[in-house]
Amino acid sequence: MQFVMFQISSNKGQLGETCYFNNKCIYPALGIPAFNNVSSNIAYLIMGLLFIAIIYFTKPKEDGIHGLHTDMSLYYSMGITIIVEGFCSGLYHICPSRMNFQFDTSFMLIGGGLLFTTLYQKRHATMTSGAFKTFGFFAAFILLGFISLVNPPATRPFQALVGFWMIVCVVFAFVSIAGSVYLYKEDTVVWDKSLIRDFFTCLRHPSFINNKPRMACIVAANTISWLIILYSFATTVQSGVKFGGAESFNVVFLGILVLNFMVYMIYYISMKFYYEEIEMTIPSLLKHWYIWVLSLEVIVVWMIAGYFFQVLAVTDKFASEATSDLLNKPCVLFNYWDDHDVWHILSSVGLISIMSLVYVLDLDVRNTRRTELYVF
């Protein structure tokens, strides 16, 4: 906060040179130039508190016999993540700029990772990575995100971009291989040369694969991830265009996290059908109506939110001030909030919707004996 407020105070009278505002919809208050863009982040606070309240009042009673073992601290952490995302987004909007963009994305990355971790621990309560490893992983990629926002050397900007993406590829290769082996082998992991060799042998010879659905999920997630990474690298090498530039790393990594989570969510629901926790009958499908309603809500809300965020963008912090000003648009909501504020509201609804979906996904097995539940 001190860092951002210093930028404001050191640029009085020439804020546009540092901070990218929507000058057609700007309402100052409390010393903040665009207080309307900051205030819309209260939606995250409301949704975060609402999610925490839902978890607190509906959490299952753990008897050690029935239902899945659920670590409720992960759900509370997700609620807190929504709240902190609102705070960090508000901090960013005090002075929207390239360097301050890291504040807006850090807890988006952590929230995406927590979603995957929470879904995974439902069936692997004793095999989920500890807090130190999990947040160490996030710290490494947040560091890369920070580096991506630092201005490259003026003498060799292209070489710096290529070097950055080469480092990303090396780091991601390690994470991809280690993570894939861990997810496939689970409790049988003994880290040695033969482990990775056996894993790639399974890829070359499908008949050796013991768990084909899980392997298919891992291959799909890796394929999507590497296509995104390599596309970003290729566009940098080809022309250094904006999407392939280092500044896109935070968006790229967030996209990879979200798409990997969606792949695992589809796999998870498919396995519930496979093991007949959900049957392909009208009564069973109607019994699980909450899953389909929330799934539809997640898809619709995020599609609309994405439209407001990308298509109806009102500024561009990675472009020149003049180019960014061309995107400025009048207020659209209550003559006070602009299209990006609508994104704040819709994305907060999208976050609580997808977190609620993860929470209710296994309501149907709460009264099932734990010894009868499948691990997938």
Side-chain angles (χ1 to χ4, degrees), residues 76-338:
Y76 288 123
S77 295
M78 288 196 296
I80 294 172
T81 298
I82 300 179
I83 295 172
V84 179
E85 169 56 30
F87 173 78
C88 290
S89 178
L91 188 63
Y92 161 73
H93 282 284
I94 293 175
C95 177
S97 65
R98 171 177 172 151
M99 183 55 66
N100 293 339
F101 187 51
Q102 59 185 305
F103 301 126
D104 196 29
T105 56
S106 294
F107 270 85
M108 289 184 187
L109 302 180
I110 292 176
L114 281 175
L115 273 171
F116 185 91
T117 302
T118 303
L119 184 58
Y120 182 76
Q121 69 85 37
K122 280 174 169 283
R123 307 278 171 159
H124 310 85
T126 61
M127 288 178 280
T128 303
S129 297
F132 181 81
K133 291 182 180 179
T134 300
F135 285 98
F137 166 80
F138 288 130
F141 279 91
I142 288 174
L143 176 61
L144 285 174
F146 166 74
I147 295 173
S148 73
L149 297 173
V150 176
N151 289 320
T155 54
R156 295 184 178 181
F158 178 74
Q159 290 86 338
L161 284 177
V162 173
F164 173 80
W165 279 108
M166 289 181 67
I167 294 173
V168 170
C169 287
V170 171
V171 173
F172 194 77
F174 171 78
V175 172
S176 177
I177 294 173
S180 297
V181 173
Y182 177 82
L183 291 174
Y184 180 72
K185 290 290 187 176
E186 293 185 331
D187 57 334
T188 61
V189 172
V190 178
W191 290 101
D192 55 28
K193 294 180 180 179
S194 64
L195 179 66
I196 297 178
R197 184 189 63 227
D198 293 345
F199 180 76
F200 283 101
T201 298
C202 288
L203 292 178
R204 293 194 303 270
H205 304 284
S207 59
F208 293 174
I209 300 175
N210 296 324
N211 193 324
K212 288 182 173 62
R214 185 182 300 160
M215 179 61 81
C217 174
I218 293 171
V219 171
N222 274 282
T223 300
I224 293 172
S225 301
W226 276 107
L227 284 175
I228 295 173
I229 290 288
L230 293 177
Y231 177 76
S232 301
F233 193 0
T235 52
T236 298
V237 173
Q238 182 180 11
S239 57
V241 295
K242 178 185 169 183
F243 180 77
E247 67 268 10
S248 70
F249 173 78
N250 287 307
V251 177
V252 169
F253 183 55
L254 181 61
I256 289 173
L257 272 179
V258 171
L259 290 174
N260 275 255
F261 169 77
M262 296 306 295
V263 168
Y264 188 61
M265 174 68 82
I266 294 172
Y267 163 77
Y268 193 96
I269 294 177
S270 300
M271 289 296 98
K272 286 180 71 69
F273 276 104
Y274 181 79
Y275 289 112
E276 298 183 346
E277 291 182 4
I278 304 176
E279 298 177 358
M280 288 296 293
T281 62
I282 298 299
S284 179
L285 293 175
L286 291 176
K287 177 183 176 181
H288 297 85
W289 63 269
Y290 48 88
I291 293 178
W292 320 129
V293 171
L294 279 172
S295 298
L296 180 61
E297 180 184 342
V298 167
I299 294 171
V300 172
V301 170
W302 278 111
M303 286 182 64
I304 299 174
Y307 179 78
F308 275 91
F309 177 77
Q310 191 66 34
V311 180
L312 301 181
V314 295
T315 60
D316 186 349
K317 56 195 160 293
F318 296 117
S320 66
E321 180 186 353
T323 301
S324 178
D325 287 344
L326 293 175
L327 297 174
N328 291 176
K329 298 180 181 71
C331 301
V332 296
L333 189 61
F334 306 129
N335 197 33
Y336 186 72
W337 288 326
D338 60 23

Side-chain angles (χ1 to χ4, degrees), residues 67-71 74-75 116-125 128 264 268 357-363 373-374 376:
L68 297 171
H69 172 73
T70 304
D71 185 356
L74 285 171
Y75 292 98
F116 185 91
T117 302
T118 303
L119 184 58
Y120 182 76
Q121 69 85 37
K122 280 174 169 283
R123 307 278 171 159
H124 310 85
T128 303
Y264 188 61
Y268 193 96
L357 177 58
V358 172
Y359 178 59
V360 304
L361 206 52
D362 289 301
L363 283 180
L373 295 174
Y374 293 94
F376 47 78

